[in-house]
Amino acid sequence: MITRRNFTAGAATLLAAGHISTRARAATVSWDMSTVWPDGNFHTQNAFAFAEEVKKQSGGTVNITVKAGGQLGFKGPEHLRAVRDGLVPLADVLNIQQVGDEPFMGVESIPFLCGSVEELKVLHKYVRPEYEKIAARNNQKILYIVPWPTQYLHLKAKVADVEGLKNIKIRVPDKNAVDMLNAIGMAAVMIPWGETIPALASGAVAGVSTSSVSGVDGKFWEFLKYVYPTNHVWSSQMLTVNLDSWKALSADQQKLVADIAAKMEPGFWANSLKADVDSLNRLKEGGMEVVPVSQAMMTDIRAKTAPQLDAFLKRVPAADKPVRAYLAEMKRG
């Protein structure tokens, strides 16, 4: 005989089983991660390592598939919007390429704001909270941030001073770099990475402003002859996850993924430094010559680009407080 008590207990058991079944179904997620960089790039290698560790520690309940080389069809400047709109759950976002949507993201490309990776770490202490706010405003969460190594001018021409740079068409990744290199007399053209090699091959540009790592990715020795270590700007890749995708994880899964990202990030920064050394050697092996930049030339470049700091802070008021705090700690305020 079915009593009210038996029926209630049975219904509760079925309901609980249904919840367990729902949780089990929701517990396993599979995410694609978009990046424009090729498999051999250290940022992509970092992403592979992160995905492997997440899969391992989650027992296979969180699976990340790294889609390298832009195979999902997104260009670098599109990544912030792609994650925001849920077109892809994760992406490796280059901060300086998002300034059309979020001008603050260009803060690291203020010329000569940071002179070393150690100074960049100090800057991040002040700007990362702002990056986090920007990510949240764009329906995403930052898992880790890793900088590119120091920047170089990769050119066909050998020059000894700023005058020698005049009117050289050079590819740059963002608007701040356009302003900077135009200020020293170059003819800067903003081109996404995926279109850079065709631009070199066609002769549309005669130089590229980027890291030694990208120089290796693009086999610059096939097009260019000289590398100038100007160390003029910085930039960082941010691995971000769509918040709707993030909320689909259980609290335990969220903590696990966030903890893995935080634990691995310092090692990823170290990989950046190593990649710079290794890549510069590879460029030289390919036949490119590293040309020391004279003190006089650097002084001239710095003088011509110095106004960009105040111009950026005026254009992006939200950057004023964190940048001033950073400069004060560096005793440059």
Side-chain angles (χ1 to χ4, degrees):
M1 177 179 178
I2 300 177
T3 65
R4 180 181 177 86
R5 177 178 295 178
N6 289 341
F7 177 82
T8 302
T13 300
L14 286 172
L15 186 60
H19 281 316
I20 291 169
S21 175
T22 300
R23 286 200 304 270
R25 287 196 299 271
T28 300
V29 299
S30 295
W31 290 338
D32 282 344
M33 192 204 99
S34 178
T35 178
V36 299
W37 312 116
D39 284 355
N41 185 283
F42 80 96
H43 283 297
T44 307
Q45 290 296 309
N46 286 345
F48 282 133
F50 175 70
E52 183 178 351
E53 193 64 21
V54 167
K55 182 176 182 179
K56 176 183 175 183
Q57 292 197 34
S58 71
T61 65
V62 182
N63 297 295
I64 299 171
T65 302
V66 179
K67 299 291 188 175
Q71 61 182 283
L72 292 182
F74 301 109
K75 297 178 181 178
E78 299 169 342
H79 270 152
L80 188 73
R81 278 169 281 160
V83 177
R84 179 194 67 196
D85 297 340
L87 301 178
V88 64
L90 294 102
D92 200 18
V93 180
L94 177 55
N95 59 355
I96 60 171
Q97 288 189 328
Q98 316 310 314
V99 295
D101 295 319
E102 295 289 351
F104 186 95
M105 288 288 195
V107 66
E108 292 174 38
S109 64
I110 296 172
F112 305 107
L113 183 61
C114 297
S116 68
V117 72
E118 294 305 319
E119 290 187 5
L120 185 65
K121 288 178 182 178
V122 178
L123 178 65
H124 274 217
K125 181 172 70 174
Y126 295 104
V127 301
R128 182 157 183 164
E130 299 303 318
Y131 289 162
E132 301 279 3
K133 292 175 189 175
I134 289 169
R137 187 161 66 237
N138 284 272
N139 192 38
Q140 53 205 283
K141 173 184 173 61
I142 296 172
L143 295 177
Y144 61 71
I145 302 179
V146 183
W148 283 90
T150 183
Q151 297 289 290
Y152 301 83
L153 299 180
H154 306 257
L155 305 175
K156 281 186 178 180
K158 190 169 187 176
V159 302
D161 52 28
V162 171
E163 185 62 25
L165 297 173
K166 192 172 182 179
N167 295 326
I168 292 178
K169 280 193 172 182
I170 184 166
R171 173 268 178 184
V172 297
D174 70 295
K175 178 62 168 59
N176 285 345
V178 169
D179 294 341
M180 176 194 169
L181 295 181
N182 283 349
I184 63 175
M186 303 187 81
V189 184
M190 190 163 61
I191 300 175
W193 175 251
E195 299 171 19
T196 297
I197 306 309
L200 282 171
S202 69
V205 295
V208 180
S209 171
T210 192
S211 68
S212 59
V213 176
S214 291
V216 172
D217 288 344
K219 298 181 180 178
F220 282 1
W221 52 83
E222 295 181 357
F223 312 99
L224 305 170
K225 298 289 186 182
Y226 305 102
V227 183
Y228 298 81
T230 46
N231 191 23
H232 48 286
V233 293
W234 296 82
S235 61
S236 298
Q237 296 287 149
M238 309 184 304
L239 181 63
T240 70
V241 57
N242 174 275
L243 281 180
D244 299 316
S245 298
W246 180 252
K247 290 171 184 175
L249 300 182
S250 69
D252 287 344
Q253 287 173 321
Q254 289 179 356
K255 184 178 186 305
L256 178 72
V257 173
D259 287 350
I260 291 171
K263 184 176 181 181
M264 297 185 80
E265 185 174 312
F268 292 163
W269 279 60
N271 291 345
S272 177
L273 293 174
K274 183 177 186 301
D276 179 46
V277 174
D278 293 346
S279 296
L280 199 59
N281 286 334
R282 180 66 187 93
L283 291 175
K284 289 188 284 188
E285 290 170 4
M288 297 186 75
E289 178 185 345
V290 178
V291 182
V293 182
S294 71
Q295 186 59 51
M297 184 174 175
M298 285 304 304
T299 298
D300 200 1
I301 292 174
R302 285 175 176 270
K304 290 179 182 299
T305 59
Q308 285 192 250
L309 170 59
D310 287 338
F312 184 91
L313 298 183
K314 183 177 180 179
R315 188 169 68 250
V316 188
D320 190 85
K321 185 176 179 180
V323 170
R324 299 292 183 196
Y326 159 75
L327 291 172
E329 183 164 339
M330 293 292 99
K331 304 191 186 310
R332 288 161 48 198

